[in-house]
Amino acid sequence: MEKLAIRASRPSVFCSLPGLGGNSQRRRPPSDVFLKLPAENRKIVANSASFHSISAVNVSAQASLTADFPALSETNLKERRVNGKEKAENIIWHESSICRCDRQQLLQQKGCVIWITGLSGSGKSTIACALSKALFERGKLTYTLDGDNVRHGLNRDLTFKSEHRTENIRRIGEVAKLFADVGVICIASLISPYRRDRDACRSLLPEGDFVEVFMDVPLHVCESRDPKGLYKLARAGKIKGFTGIDDPYEAPLNCEVLLKHTGDDSSCLPRQMAENIISYLQNKGYLEG
């Protein structure tokens, strides 16, 4: 049976045809869709004379327009639920002609993720900057994903509710994974209070490529520093769900690098702490191609 394909675009096209809302009803299609109209009934009622003209196509009763318009393929429109969200099916990974080992050979280093976690005020961002600078001086390429910085862009739609924190960590984990695949040493610096979320990011990477660094600094020390004034606001009840005050922080159980506050000024210097992380990377071969 011959059918006519018409592409409706704003202003919308109204159709009064059997099978498209009944004989007496008129239904507004979406602003950009394709309609299959029987050739014997092509009565079009439009609210504007402005629409795109396209050629007719011949299809059988069993066929669909997807041969001419692949984007409308039924299989491309199937969706499934993943972690409570819809995810498209029938997507296939496209392999690159340049692999991770090629990029690492070019950079003369191995990609990995250094995940610095700890309470607010524990020194995560300070250590991340010191580490990035020290590696740069060694000719190594790094990139830092700072928790606050990422919330200015990629995660600006997220709050600090528990479910949003989980999504915040998931997104950063996926971005960090891409950097590691490029061959870059990615430094992620954020509180990431929940153990399950950090473990989920670890599972994204090959064994050994997720280096968890725990800034083990007591709460009273972090609160005495309070560089952003957040502890004071939390204690006053002006910030709810603040980690360490009225929301828990789950310390790592088996981190790769432990940076513990001892009260000794020399051991707590950012540069010295950064060198401790670099020693780990050297021992594991990440600073070689």
Side-chain angles (χ1 to χ4, degrees):
M1 177 177 67
E2 183 184 69
K3 295 186 179 182
L4 177 67
I6 293 182
R7 184 178 189 274
S9 183
R10 288 189 178 93
S12 300
V13 175
F14 290 83
C15 298
S16 177
L17 297 172
L20 291 173
N23 292 327
S24 60
Q25 296 179 352
R26 296 200 306 173
R27 180 173 299 175
R28 182 191 298 268
S31 61
D32 194 2
V33 298
F34 290 93
L35 306 176
K36 296 186 293 185
L37 308 181
E40 64 271 16
N41 193 347
R42 297 178 179 173
K43 180 182 178 181
I44 304 297
V45 181
N47 64 352
S48 172
S50 175
F51 59 90
H52 301 285
S53 60
I54 63 174
S55 60
V57 294
N58 294 321
V59 293
S60 66
Q62 292 77 26
S64 71
L65 293 178
T66 57
D68 295 273
F69 307 104
L72 293 179
S73 171
E74 181 180 353
T75 57
N76 288 342
L77 297 178
K78 287 183 179 179
E79 293 176 335
R80 59 190 176 93
R81 306 291 291 185
V82 177
N83 295 328
K85 296 183 179 181
E86 294 179 348
K87 180 180 179 181
E89 287 185 340
N90 303 299
I91 52 177
I92 300 174
W93 185 268
H94 183 78
E95 293 293 341
S96 172
S97 58
I98 305 298
C99 69
R100 178 175 179 171
C101 59
D102 296 326
R103 295 187 287 269
Q104 292 181 153
Q105 182 64 31
L106 177 67
L107 295 173
Q108 285 299 293
Q109 64 184 51
K110 292 183 175 65
C112 65
V113 174
I114 302 172
W115 194 279
I116 306 177
T117 176
L119 292 169
S120 177
S122 61
K124 299 180 301 298
S125 296
T126 302
I127 299 303
C129 290
L131 176 60
S132 180
K133 183 178 180 180
L135 288 171
F136 181 82
E137 291 171 353
R138 286 170 166 80
K140 303 305 174 183
L141 184 61
T142 70
Y143 193 83
T144 302
L145 297 173
D146 181 84
D148 280 0
N149 290 357
V150 174
R151 283 183 177 272
H152 280 277
L154 176 66
N155 293 344
R156 64 185 175 186
D157 59 322
L158 302 178
T159 68
F160 288 91
K161 295 188 297 184
S162 176
E163 60 271 25
H164 282 199
R165 283 184 163 182
T166 293
E167 175 62 12
N168 177 59
I169 300 305
R170 187 196 70 80
R171 293 182 190 178
I172 294 176
E174 290 287 355
V175 173
K177 174 187 173 182
L178 295 177
F179 273 110
D181 187 61
V182 171
V184 170
I185 298 172
C186 182
I187 306 168
S189 168
L190 57 164
I191 296 174
S192 46
Y194 308 134
R195 196 175 294 125
R196 68 176 185 275
D197 296 338
R198 299 192 303 267
D199 289 344
C201 292
R202 181 187 292 273
S203 69
L204 296 173
L205 294 150
E207 183 70 26
D209 286 359
F210 185 91
V211 181
E212 190 173 36
V213 178
F214 176 33
M215 301 294 297
D216 188 5
V217 182
L219 175 61
H220 73 272
V221 174
C222 295
E223 192 167 357
S224 67
R225 295 173 178 173
D226 202 10
K228 304 173 185 176
L230 299 178
Y231 283 102
K232 184 177 180 180
L233 293 174
R235 291 293 186 188
K238 296 181 180 180
I239 297 179
K240 301 297 183 181
F242 190 77
T243 302
I245 303 300
D246 56 353
D247 200 67
Y249 176 80
E250 299 171 356
L253 299 177
N254 192 26
C255 61
E256 281 73 16
V257 179
L258 175 64
L259 299 179
K260 190 175 182 64
H261 176 81
T262 63
D264 181 2
D265 291 340
S266 61
S267 64
C268 292
L269 290 174
R271 182 72 185 209
Q272 181 56 50
M273 288 186 168
E275 290 297 334
N276 292 341
I277 301 173
I278 290 174
S279 294
Y280 178 89
L281 296 177
Q282 286 176 329
N283 293 334
K284 295 296 182 180
Y286 284 100
L287 303 186
E288 302 171 0

